[in-house]
Amino acid sequence: MSTVIVLGGGGFLAGHIERHYHNLGWRVVSIGRAAAASEAAAKHVWSLPHSKFAHLLAVEQPQLCVNAAGRASVPASMVEPLADFEASTLLSYKILDDLRRRSPSSAYIHLSSAAVYGDPASLPVHEDAACAPISPYGWHKRMSEMVLEEHTKLFALRAASLRIFSTYGAGLRRQVIWDLASRAIAEPNRPLVLQGQPDDSRDFVHGSDIAQAVQAVAERGPLHGECYNVAAGEETRMQDLAALVLRVLDRPAQIEFDGKRRPGNPRRWQADTARLRALGFSPRIGLEQGVLEVIGEINKADA
């Protein structure tokens, strides 16, 4: 039986990846502060980095290690950049060093972020576009990619980075889709007010599709330190997203924008996903289906 170790156990993306590999028949080992909530075969409730991780690698010799650990907040990185660096770049280096020494045959997938691009000069943005982060979070994700590249080139580790765009889905009780739907349900008679401008945009990808992307890259990618955009490849304006949420809720499209921009947030995003699609990846969850799922979870929680 093949073994996958998932770091960040109990988190949103880690949970999707763990369930995906469990359904494939793999032995899943979950590691993280919230790993007790995981459904994995083996759970280690550890804060990473952890002194026993290297020994665990030596014992398990996993076919795959997926790093979904670390902070995932641009605003928090603006307030505490050092803490973000330690939970991102420094942690990535320690994980890769343990892999190099204890389980060098393992494939390694790092969950990076589209934040490495900052505000792209043109859309859709390709992996070869210049990286120009506008937040500590984005800088530290880019640094983590470079650490990964170092280990593939100097130590022959098999690894790749996934640059994830705007993820969402049931279980992620934050970010824009959850926030819009929650407020629209809680205040049905008030206009839905959004930050920024109507043509601000994102490229959304469901959590389960990210798990599909991990499998595609791990099985069919060269794993020479390369990066892959993970997204639907579709630009969705905030105006249109809000209208979709209200339509699904059967509410009038009363939408307002405050014109403010949060520091560190890009204005528009759309991914060129040709590199990932060449490995056979295709998103399975459309945006409307995903919005319905999130709204269903909110209504269930409020019942």
Side-chain angles (χ1 to χ4, degrees), residues 2-299:
S2 296
T3 297
V4 57
I5 290 179
V6 182
L7 309 179
F12 172 69
L13 290 180
H16 276 286
I17 294 164
E18 290 166 359
R19 285 188 292 275
H20 180 79
Y21 276 94
H22 172 77
N23 291 337
L24 292 176
W26 286 47
R27 180 172 185 269
V28 178
V29 179
S30 178
I31 300 176
R33 286 177 297 178
S38 169
E39 299 175 6
K43 296 178 276 191
H44 300 275
V45 184
W46 296 346
S47 292
L48 293 167
H50 195 278
S51 60
K52 295 182 180 179
F53 179 64
H55 176 71
L56 180 69
L57 284 173
V59 171
E60 294 284 356
Q61 292 295 299
Q63 282 68 39
L64 176 63
C65 179
V66 183
N67 184 5
R71 293 187 169 197
S73 171
V74 168
S77 79
M78 302 291 287
V79 177
E80 297 181 314
L82 177 58
D84 189 86
F85 174 83
E86 292 173 338
S88 181
T89 311
L90 183 57
L91 175 60
S92 293
Y93 205 108
K94 291 183 176 181
I95 291 166
L96 283 159
D97 189 58
D98 285 339
L99 279 167
R100 175 183 66 83
R101 293 182 296 108
R102 299 301 184 94
S103 188
S105 64
S106 299
Y108 175 76
I109 301 295
H110 170 67
L111 300 193
S112 186
S113 170
V116 301
Y117 296 119
D119 269 314
S122 62
L123 298 176
V125 61
H126 188 271
E127 290 91 346
D128 292 334
C131 290
I134 56 175
S135 68
Y137 174 79
W139 276 109
H140 300 152
K141 285 295 187 183
R142 179 58 189 136
M143 291 178 191
S144 297
E145 293 178 355
M146 295 175 70
V147 165
L148 181 150
E149 293 167 21
E150 171 192 347
H151 282 74
T152 60
K153 289 176 172 57
L154 300 183
F155 305 112
L157 288 186
R158 299 166 51 244
S161 296
L162 305 189
R163 291 175 174 170
I164 297 169
F165 280 67
S166 298
T167 189
Y168 75 103
L172 184 63
R173 300 193 172 189
R174 57 188 178 84
Q175 306 291 19
V176 64
I177 292 178
W178 174 272
D179 176 64
L180 290 181
S182 297
R183 289 193 286 117
I185 291 170
E187 302 174 335
N189 299 316
R190 300 184 62 180
L192 192 56
V193 181
L194 285 74
Q195 280 190 332
Q197 304 289 343
D199 61 345
D200 290 350
S201 65
R202 294 292 182 267
D203 193 338
F204 292 98
V205 58
H206 192 273
S208 63
D209 283 325
I210 293 171
Q212 298 279 350
V214 169
Q215 181 188 357
V217 173
E219 291 183 355
R220 296 183 287 279
L223 303 181
H224 291 162
E226 72 277 10
C227 300
Y228 298 87
N229 288 336
V230 183
E234 300 174 358
E235 183 180 17
T236 300
R237 299 188 314 154
M238 291 298 103
Q239 175 82 28
D240 297 331
L241 175 64
L244 172 60
V245 169
L246 294 176
R247 177 168 60 80
V248 169
L249 291 171
D250 195 24
R251 276 194 46 192
Q254 298 176 297
I255 304 166
E256 299 176 3
F257 287 82
D258 64 10
K260 300 176 182 177
R261 289 195 61 193
R262 180 180 293 177
N265 279 1
R267 185 167 176 271
R268 295 175 59 205
W269 265 353
Q270 181 187 9
D272 180 325
T273 58
R275 182 178 291 181
L276 184 58
R277 289 177 183 271
L279 300 182
F281 171 81
S282 181
R284 299 184 180 183
I285 306 294
L287 185 56
E288 182 167 352
Q289 179 184 351
V291 167
L292 280 166
E293 175 190 290
V294 172
I295 289 173
E297 183 183 34
I298 295 170
N299 286 330

